Every structure is written in structure tokens, then in C-alpha cells.
Amino acid sequence: MTKVAIPSANHAISREGQAFCLAPFRNLSVAIGGIATPCCEFKGNFGDVKQQSIPEIWNGQAFTEFRRKMLRDEKDDACSKCYDMEATGGLSLRRTYNEHLWQKNSVFAQPDDFLAKADESVTVQPAAQPLMLDIRFSNLCNFSCRMCHHGASSKWFSDARALKATRAPEALIKTFTSTEASIEAIRPLLPSVEEIYFAGGEPLLIEQHYAILSELVALGRTDVVLYYNTNLSALRLGRHDVVELWSHFKTISLELSVDGAEERGELVRKGMDWDIFVANVKTLKQKCPHITLRFGVTVSVFNIAVLPELHERLVELVDHENPEFHLHVLQEPDYYSIQILPEPLKQAIEQRLEAHAELHAADASVREQFQHIAAHMMAADRSDLIERFRNITLRLDALRNEATAVACPELAPLLRFSLRSKLVHLIQRVPSLNRLLSGLSLNRRQSSSIA
């Protein structure tokens, strides 16, 4: 197994460091469109797989300099999403990577003098090539989730055009020019890669995903650990049967994206059919018992009020087998953040979350996640974004012929126009009135200046 010179688990910056992250030493994340970074939360650009080979990017100056910064335990603005999450006690992707990789400590070389000094004289020794690959082949998706956008879902294209928020001229945004090009770029990694994370778009609808699995089977690399983020809406793509392909692999973990049951869930993740989701979960439990199923919930204004009920519903779905339940606090778009809620509603929800945490006190993961959600919600007042939330939500309701106030009744008061909102809306809709008020404002400022 490849040895990687990195800080040992008991080094000063290992677990308590404010910025250190193991991701750039082992992981390559390729975003939709081709931009390469150390992880999917990184707000930067270390290269483009359409223009450079993966080895060129991995061994390039941007990655090398960032690794040095990590060894100095120095924060980087591009990692702000992790720092923000940690500020309210949440489990950031940085900490997730660190904990996960230290559990695999046997693969790390730990020379005593490696971190004698973390300056330009240090020889940074990452893996020779990425041992973990996070790949998104395109934005092809059959859902248009409320909190998503055209850049991550082709299904969002028509709504994005109406909102003047498209990310490209066409609905489909590709990472590689073709399936063949994607395989050619990734094939050199397959003999040594240890873990692959497939996301999208919706990975189970993407041809390149099946091509990579077939390549791995042909190479006898069925020991590669497969991770997914999927809406689980389909288990076949044409001639491809993902259940059959998965039967070859030893370790598979699926995080199933679900933000609500039935009507609420189908509104938040438009395209979802709750009954199909339930049926596919049961199919996997029956035919693929070796697969680990996790439920991934994006916590937003749309589901925070019913989070305890959703948790119980999902536990019931898998016959009370205590499944992993991952709560992801929505950070973007900020107008869907749970921090925008009015204080009285926050207080009522906080009580329900704390009660649920207490009910599940014996399950440390559930208890701590619910407590963090409550703490994050109360950590800031962003109610100034309610008007933006109202405008976008009502616009999407109209475009999609949906009614958020019906599916999420606790949000109905936030969706009613206040007098101020009505005046602003009227001014924006009537150009002559807008010009008149602008003229009056200008005259008032001129009069004040003369006086």
C-alpha cells in the first residue's frame, strides 16, 4: 500500500489544529465542468481536467503550496465553509477527512523529522497520485431540488432561465467531452486508487459511472471502496443494472438524499416520488445486504420544523436497524438557512430538537447532531433574508405550480407579503412609479444640499 508522509496522529496540529486537513494529501475532487480541488467544499481552482492531466494538477504548484499551508496549520479563505461549520460546533468536511484518514493510519509513513519545520525547505510528500477520488461527471439529474441550481442539476435549466440564473448556455454541463475521454483521464488512477466517491448530478443516471465500475471489475479492483451521494430514484440505466455491478464490490456506502417524506419531500426535491424511494430502499436491503445505507438530510427552512418526525420515519423505513443519519446544515443559498427564521419560531423548534436529542440520548451521533442543529439555528439572526426567501419561494411556486405554504404550513406566515414588501413589489413592477420616486428622492437631496 502506498506510504504517504503526513503528520502522525499525535502531532500537535493533527486533531486540534485550526486549519490542517489531510484531504490535499490524498484526495482529488473534480467538480462538474472539470475544476479540480482538494475537496468539494473548497472555493477555489487548482486546475481543469479538460486542459490538464490529473498528474499535472496533483503535482502542480497550487496543490503543493496548499499542502505547505496545511502543514503550517494556516487557514485559507477557500476553506471558509468548514471554518463556519466548526464555529457552531458542527462536523466539518475537514474534520470528517481527518478522522476518516487517521482511522487508516497504517498507510501513513511517520518520519520523526518530517515536521521539524514547515517552511519552504520541507519536502512535501503526498501520495504519488490521488488515492481518493471525488468525481462528478456532469450535472445530469432528474431532480430540481429547491436548494440546488443549474450548475449541479440539468433539470434546473428551465427554472434557471426564468430566474436569469443559468450557469451555461445548455442544460447539460459536462466534466469531460465524452465517456471515452473521462475513462482515458481516470484509467491511470484505477490500479492504485483506494476510494471513489460518486456524486452529481445524479450518478446512477450517468454513463461514465457505469464505465468506471466495469473497468474496475475488469482490473480485479473490486476492493476499491465506493461511496455515493444519490437520490436513489433509479437502479438501472438502459442495459446497466447497478445492483448487479455492486454485487462485485466488497465495500459500498450509499448516502441517500432525502429531505422530507411524501408531499414535503417531493416539494423540496422536485422529481422525487416517495413511494419509489421507499421501494428502492427495500430492494437494496433485500438484494444488497452488504451495502451500508445512510440517510443524508440537508437541513433547511423547509424541513427543520419536522426533523424529529423525519428521523423516526427513516428509522422505521429500515425496520429500526439504527441507520446512520447525517444532518447537513444548509449554508448556500443563504436565504434557505435555518438562521433566517423568526425568533419565536426558532424557540419553538429548538425545544422540539432538544427534546428529540434527549429522547435519543443513548445514540451519541443522533443526540449531538440534533443539538448542533439547534445551536447553529440560534447562533445568528439572519431574518433580514426573509424577504429574499419569500420572493424566490413564491417565484418557484408559480413556475412549478406548487404551494410551499401547503406542504410546509409553518412557513405560511413568512410567505405572506408585508405592507413594506407590497410597496417594494409595486414599485418594481411599475416603472413610471419607480422613476417618480427616484426623481422625488433626487430633488429632496438637491434641496437639502442648497439649504
Side-chain angles (χ1 to χ4, degrees):
M1 187 174 287
T2 305
K3 292 284 185 180
V4 186
I6 61 165
S8 62
N10 57 9
H11 189 273
I13 68 171
S14 61
R15 292 177 184 249
E16 301 302 325
Q18 64 171 357
F20 179 77
C21 180
L22 281 170
F25 294 88
R26 286 176 57 95
N27 184 71
L28 179 72
S29 179
V30 181
I32 295 166
I35 298 301
T37 61
C39 79
C40 62
E41 300 282 29
F42 189 84
K43 296 181 177 180
N45 179 348
F46 282 178
D48 189 333
V49 296
K50 284 181 177 176
Q51 301 171 9
Q52 302 161 269
S53 70
I54 288 178
E56 285 176 329
I57 296 171
W58 185 248
N59 297 305
Q61 183 176 358
F63 252 109
T64 299
E65 291 302 319
F66 185 70
R67 291 179 188 121
R68 293 189 188 281
K69 181 174 281 192
M70 292 297 97
L71 294 175
R72 296 192 295 268
D73 198 28
E74 182 180 328
K75 286 190 174 184
D76 190 293
D77 290 344
C79 303
S80 61
K81 291 185 75 172
C82 281
Y83 307 147
D84 291 346
M85 184 60 59
E86 292 166 11
T88 58
L91 181 61
S92 66
L93 190 56
R94 178 181 83 91
R95 287 180 173 165
T96 300
Y97 270 120
N98 289 352
E99 291 296 326
H100 173 65
L101 292 175
W102 269 304
Q103 289 175 7
K104 301 178 66 171
N105 210 28
S106 60
V107 307
F108 302 145
Q110 299 174 18
D112 293 337
D113 61 348
F114 179 63
L115 288 174
K117 54 180 179 174
D119 57 26
E120 296 305 311
S121 67
V122 174
T123 301
V124 180
Q125 300 176 41
Q129 58 186 14
L131 299 179
M132 298 167 63
L133 179 63
D134 168 358
I135 185 74
R136 294 130 200 269
F137 291 108
S138 77
N139 71 333
L140 179 65
C141 189
N142 55 343
F143 284 15
S144 53
C145 304
R146 286 273 172 154
M147 59 286 184
C148 198
H149 54 84
H150 173 221
S153 169
S154 57
K155 199 70 172 178
W156 243 97
F157 187 62
S158 61
D159 289 339
R161 278 195 303 188
L163 297 172
K164 295 181 171 55
T166 55
R167 302 292 180 93
E170 298 179 351
L172 186 63
I173 302 173
K174 297 179 180 180
T175 298
F176 297 94
T177 55
S178 65
T179 298
E180 293 72 22
S182 64
I183 299 302
E184 183 177 345
I186 294 172
R187 184 177 283 123
L189 306 182
L190 299 185
S192 59
V193 71
E194 296 174 6
E195 303 177 12
I196 302 179
Y197 174 59
F198 294 104
E202 170 46 50
L204 301 188
L205 297 179
I206 295 175
E207 181 73 30
Q208 290 96 323
H209 154 253
Y210 292 94
I212 292 294
L213 293 192
S214 297
E215 285 274 328
L216 288 170
V217 171
L219 287 170
R221 288 301 320 278
T222 55
D223 60 318
V224 173
V225 179
L226 304 180
Y227 294 96
Y228 288 82
N229 185 286
T230 173
N231 62 36
L232 204 69
S233 59
L235 298 176
R236 296 190 65 92
L237 178 66
R239 59 187 173 83
H240 301 297
D241 180 346
V242 75
V243 171
E244 192 282 325
L245 275 169
W246 281 341
S247 68
H248 298 278
F249 291 86
K250 299 174 184 176
T251 308
I252 302 173
S253 177
L254 305 186
E255 180 158 310
L256 311 180
S257 297
V258 53
D259 294 344
E262 298 170 338
E263 183 181 12
R264 186 184 295 257
E266 292 170 358
L267 177 130
V268 179
R269 292 189 174 272
K270 185 172 179 61
M272 179 193 194
D273 183 311
W274 173 256
D275 293 336
I276 290 176
F277 177 79
V278 169
N280 285 343
V281 169
K282 291 181 177 180
T283 294
L284 290 185
K285 282 181 59 60
Q286 178 185 359
K287 295 185 176 181
C288 305
H290 69 296
I291 292 180
T292 298
L293 298 182
R294 297 180 172 90
F295 294 110
V297 180
T298 299
V299 182
S300 70
V301 292
F302 296 110
N303 59 9
I304 180 70
V306 296
L307 213 52
E309 289 85 353
L310 177 59
H311 176 229
E312 300 295 353
R313 191 75 179 268
L314 294 175
V315 169
E316 181 183 345
L317 175 57
V318 292
D319 300 322
H320 301 274
E321 292 180 1
N322 196 28
E324 287 194 43
F325 190 69
H326 290 184
L327 299 180
H328 305 288
V329 177
L330 179 140
Q331 293 175 283
E332 297 173 344
D334 55 6
Y335 48 82
Y336 290 150
S337 166
I338 56 180
Q339 293 179 339
I340 78 166
L341 296 172
E343 190 65 21
L345 183 54
K346 279 184 176 181
Q347 291 175 358
I349 293 173
E350 181 186 29
Q351 291 179 3
R352 302 191 74 243
L353 297 179
E354 292 289 355
H356 194 73
E358 183 64 26
L359 182 65
H360 293 271
D363 188 328
S365 175
V366 172
R367 183 186 72 248
E368 290 170 5
Q369 287 189 80
F370 272 83
Q371 289 173 337
H372 168 248
I373 293 296
H376 181 85
M377 178 179 63
M378 304 303 289
D381 177 7
R382 308 193 69 185
S383 56
D384 59 301
L385 293 171
I386 289 177
E387 192 167 318
R388 174 72 171 154
F389 160 74
R390 178 190 301 115
N391 291 339
I392 293 293
T393 301
L394 292 177
R395 187 76 189 277
L396 280 176
D397 276 358
L399 289 169
R400 300 178 174 191
N401 193 29
E402 295 176 335
T404 298
V406 174
C408 311
E410 72 281 1
L411 298 179
L414 277 65
L415 295 171
R416 300 190 191 109
F417 276 102
S418 64
L419 178 59
R420 178 179 179 277
S421 299
K422 289 179 180 178
L423 287 173
V424 171
H425 185 67
L426 178 62
I427 291 168
Q428 291 173 339
R429 291 288 298 273
V430 183
S432 59
L433 183 56
N434 196 0
R435 288 194 297 270
L436 174 61
L437 291 176
S438 297
L440 289 173
S441 177
L442 177 62
N443 290 338
R444 190 161 50 249
R445 287 197 298 270
Q446 289 174 339
S447 298
S448 176
S449 177
I450 293 171

